[in-house]
Amino acid sequence: MKALTAVKILLIVTSHTQLGNTKEPTGFWLEELAAPYAEFTQAGAQVDIASPLGGKPLADPKSEKEPNEATRAFLADAGAKKKLANTLVLEKVKDTYDAYFVVGGHGVMWDLATHTPLHSLLTAAYARGAVVSAVCHGPAALVGVKAPDGKPIVAGKRVAAFTNEEEKAGKLDTVMPFLLETRLREQGARHESGPMWGSFAVRDGNLITGQNPASSVATAREVIAALREKSEKK
């Protein structure tokens, strides 16, 4: 299978560090960064990481407690760690990537959900045919993104994201500024889900979304498949 050596992918992480008013720390979910990073780099793509504030974002401490093969590999990779320690400032990112992947973590619900520079970036990217993707709470970043017709990017599209059921099971449904599944449905998304905590990813054209941390690899592989299709058409 041809390597995606000419392809550039931007991973986007939250800079938000507090879980509502609880004084508990939050951030991005490490596995949701590490697993896609591994999939993309192994496919030959060039990968950058960006966040609203730039610099080193905070990983949700809970996501560091049970390291798996992907997170261990990421933390052992000097190049990956350097990119994470020096994330690009989203507002300064030029619109030159073939795919954009919003990493989850509860922090997304506070900053990326309302981050106008990211919404503008993804709106323009989608309009020119780039792949726009997100996993778990990452789709919260899509609620301000528009399709070329001016409607929400998710309107009429098959979309997966962290479910209300999963949020309630984690006892954070009352802490969140909004429930992600509910908001996506309000914007006209055809929300779909698999079993709680199981891998489930959905592709609808150039929009690719995954349900939860277990869906990180499946979502990334859908992105790679979409990019391969594009490269074969060229």
Side-chain angles (χ1 to χ4, degrees):
M1 212 174 271
K2 196 169 80 169
L4 298 174
T5 47
V7 166
K8 291 175 67 182
I9 301 175
L10 185 68
L11 285 164
I12 299 156
V13 297
T14 177
S15 295
H16 190 80
T17 59
Q18 185 174 303
L19 202 56
N21 299 319
T22 64
K23 295 197 167 67
E24 282 184 47
T26 191
F28 69 90
W29 200 261
L30 184 57
E31 180 184 3
E32 294 169 29
L33 174 70
Y37 184 90
E39 294 293 324
F40 296 151
T41 53
Q42 285 162 18
Q46 302 169 55
V47 182
D48 291 328
I49 307 173
S51 65
L53 299 180
K56 188 175 183 181
L58 181 72
D60 188 313
K62 291 175 189 163
S63 72
E64 297 176 304
K65 283 180 180 172
E66 296 175 17
N68 61 17
E69 189 179 342
T71 57
R72 281 193 292 267
F74 185 89
L75 296 173
D77 182 330
K81 284 209 303 184
K82 187 176 180 182
K83 286 179 182 179
L84 182 58
N86 301 278
T87 63
L88 307 171
V89 179
L90 265 174
E91 205 163 353
K92 296 178 181 176
V93 167
K94 297 289 185 282
D95 190 17
T96 56
Y97 292 87
D98 299 284
Y100 299 78
F101 188 103
V102 186
V103 172
H106 281 100
V108 175
M109 301 286 285
W110 282 274
D111 61 356
L112 295 181
T114 57
H115 194 66
T116 305
L118 174 59
H119 298 165
S120 300
L121 182 72
L122 295 183
T123 295
Y126 191 72
R128 66 172 168 79
V131 174
V132 172
S133 55
V135 69
C136 198
H137 287 90
L142 304 180
V143 299
V145 180
K146 304 292 185 190
D149 61 6
K151 292 179 182 174
I153 191 176
V154 299
K157 294 284 194 298
R158 297 172 61 227
V159 173
F162 203 65
T163 65
N164 291 354
E165 185 185 26
E166 286 168 322
E167 203 72 85
K168 286 169 184 169
K171 296 186 171 59
L172 289 174
D173 53 307
T174 57
V175 176
M176 293 299 102
F178 58 91
L179 287 174
L180 182 51
E181 177 187 334
T182 299
R183 180 64 57 86
L184 292 168
R185 289 183 187 278
E186 287 169 353
Q187 292 200 325
R190 292 160 56 195
H191 183 274
E192 298 180 9
S193 58
M196 248 200 330
W197 317 121
S199 175
F200 185 79
V202 171
R203 178 180 172 195
D204 194 328
N206 287 330
L207 183 65
I208 297 168
T209 45
Q211 182 173 327
N212 48 35
S215 312
S216 302
V217 170
T219 309
R221 287 178 180 171
E222 288 286 355
V223 172
I224 292 166
L227 292 169
R228 285 217 163 98
E229 283 176 23
K230 286 176 183 292
S231 69
E232 285 162 9
K233 286 177 184 173
K234 286 180 181 175

